[in-house]
Amino acid sequence: MIQSRARPIEILLVEDNPADVRLTIEGLKDAKVANNLHAVRDGSAALDFLFRRAGHESAPRPDLVLLDLNLPGIDGRTVLREVKGDPALRTIPVVVITSSEAEADIARAYEAHANCFISKPIDFDGFLQVVRSIEDFWFTVVKLPH
């Protein structure tokens, strides 16, 4: 059942693994809240999308960013610092969802003001459950800024 909203939730997925992109799409397919998922494959494209430049001038402002840390080129750590360091973007919730379970990565993500840190499950069902949990928490429980 999709809740009625004035507009769909805009999600930016920053993920270089095509399989994880497909799993995220699958996990959000039957979402309770209407959403538009925008996927980019690296940190440079994420920053272009967020700052509306280099072909992304008409990109919507995301209501939520799902961010992998280990990206080619500009990594997710840099993207997180750029987003949270910019007054116009810092209120966008950033969910770090990564294969890393390193304490140093967890600590650095929170120090850079990530809103939460999730380690990706390695199995299909676990990954879908994580995506659905993100959807349930961030789109039905939490009030997001407009």
Side-chain angles (χ1 to χ4, degrees), residues 31-52:
K32 297 173 190 154
V33 174
N35 65 80
N36 293 322
L37 181 69
H38 309 273
V40 295
R41 299 192 63 177
D42 59 47
S44 178
L47 292 173
D48 288 342
F49 188 99
L50 289 160
F51 286 101
R52 296 178 176 158

Side-chain angles (χ1 to χ4, degrees), residues 60-73:
R61 176 186 168 88
D63 297 300
L64 182 72
V65 175
L66 303 177
L67 178 65
D68 188 13
L69 291 182
N70 302 313
L71 300 167

Side-chain angles (χ1 to χ4, degrees), residues 27 121 123-136:
D123 64 285
F124 175 78
D125 290 334
F127 192 93
L128 286 180
Q129 181 58 41
V130 163
V131 171
R132 289 179 180 134
S133 296
I134 290 169
E135 182 263 330
D136 188 46

Side-chain angles (χ1 to χ4, degrees), residues 55-142:
H56 296 281
E57 288 79 5
S58 62
R61 176 186 168 88
D63 297 300
L64 182 72
V65 175
L66 303 177
L67 178 65
D68 188 13
L69 291 182
N70 302 313
L71 300 167
I74 297 173
D75 69 5
R77 295 159 190 85
T78 302
V79 172
L80 178 60
R81 283 192 304 273
E82 291 284 328
V83 169
K84 294 303 182 175
D86 184 271
L89 299 176
R90 73 172 48 124
T91 60
I92 299 172
V94 177
V95 174
V96 172
I97 180 164
T98 185
S99 56
S100 175
E101 294 185 8
E103 271 306 312
D105 281 338
I106 296 167
R108 280 190 215 111
Y110 283 115
E111 287 167 3
H113 305 285
N115 295 88
C116 71
F117 187 103
I118 299 170
S119 294
K120 290 180 193 173
I122 56 172
D123 64 285
F124 175 78
D125 290 334
F127 192 93
L128 286 180
Q129 181 58 41
V130 163
V131 171
R132 289 179 180 134
S133 296
I134 290 169
E135 182 263 330
D136 188 46
F137 180 73
W138 286 101
F139 306 154
T140 58
V141 175
V142 172

